[in-house]
Amino acid sequence: MTPEDLQTALARALATAEAGLVAPGFAMQIDVLAPNRSELGDWTTPVALRAAAAPEQRTELAAHLCTELRALTGVADAVIAGPGFVNVTLTPAGRAHVLSDIITAAGETDSIEGAEQDGSPLRTLLVAADRESAQAPVTGDHDRDVDPVAVNSLQRGHAAACREQRRAHRAGIPSEAVDAAGLEDPSETRMLNALAGLPSALERSRRLGENDLFVNALIDLGDAVEDWIRRCPVTPTVDEDITVTHASRLFALRAVIIVLAAGLRQLGASAPERI
């Protein structure tokens, strides 16, 4: 599940709350953010803090939200974290679903215009990848004041991911028989959450006019990908058998390359496959 999926679920949960529990006419943005520490779960939201009709009802509203979220297939647990906050932990399958979301969305963005009309944060991000294929670099809101060193690091990371993909293809790792829910190493959890959070970071960055929100999220993704590739090799060693784990990591790598390329294009930079 992505932050956008959780936002939709939270909006529905607010609509089903008991009368008088939610402030009349509540229409604020429902933020779903990464928690400060990984042990707190995958995502956190302060919506009960903002939406409760009265301060003393924040915990009650948060409890209602937790109940509704726990009923979702991709949610392992949802707990109250302080007055008005809810921390959400996803199941491995719920966390990994972002990979198919990315690959499906990339295949469906057949035109820039169609992606822009869709309006979802993910497809808005992936518009940049379409422009790359047309050899037309993006110059958007996020190309100002971006550290060239950071851009260069992201480009190296993208090239490294492409290199790993080429190695995997040469090794004959199949693209079928994928079980992305089996990607449970801590480095994989971090990488999957960084992937899932990048589209909403772009949306928040544009909405708030704070370029650093997106840039920092993209840098965090690059760091997470580098750590993941180092800890969880996509291609087995010569004396190892190819397993479903390797196929699943190759599937994840495909999504990583798509998103890193799109993120770089949002910065007005190229996404080279070789450096």
Side-chain angles (χ1 to χ4, degrees), residues 168-169 171-178 242-244 246-251:
H169 287 162
I173 296 175
S175 56
E176 63 276 2
V178 169
I242 294 174
T243 68
V244 66
H246 298 109
S248 301
R249 288 174 181 167
L250 178 57
F251 185 71

Side-chain angles (χ1 to χ4, degrees), residues 137-266:
V138 170
T139 303
D141 293 338
H142 302 285
D143 63 342
R144 297 189 301 264
D145 303 323
V146 179
D147 183 358
V149 175
V151 170
N152 185 257
S153 176
L154 289 165
Q155 289 174 322
R156 291 198 308 272
H158 177 267
C162 291
R163 181 170 60 251
E164 189 68 20
Q165 181 176 245
R166 291 192 297 271
R167 289 183 62 227
H169 287 162
R170 287 196 298 269
I173 296 175
S175 56
E176 63 276 2
V178 169
D179 179 21
L183 302 177
E184 296 188 72
D185 185 89
S187 67
E188 290 171 321
T189 296
R190 179 189 172 200
M191 180 271 294
L192 291 170
N193 285 342
L195 275 176
L198 192 64
S200 60
L202 175 60
E203 187 276 331
R204 290 183 66 241
S205 187
R206 289 180 167 177
R207 172 165 50 88
L208 300 175
E210 298 179 7
N211 297 336
D212 286 350
L213 291 175
F214 176 70
V215 174
N216 290 340
L218 186 57
I219 291 171
D220 287 345
L221 172 60
D223 290 344
V225 169
E226 182 180 357
D227 182 57
W228 168 59
I229 290 176
R230 184 174 64 253
R231 295 175 182 272
C232 301
V234 177
T235 305
T237 59
V238 292
D239 57 347
E240 270 188 294
D241 291 332
I242 294 174
T243 68
V244 66
T245 298
H246 298 109
S248 301
R249 288 174 181 167
L250 178 57
F251 185 71
L253 190 62
R254 181 180 171 193
V256 163
I257 291 169
I258 290 169
V259 171
L260 283 178
L264 280 163
R265 286 295 177 179
Q266 290 286 352

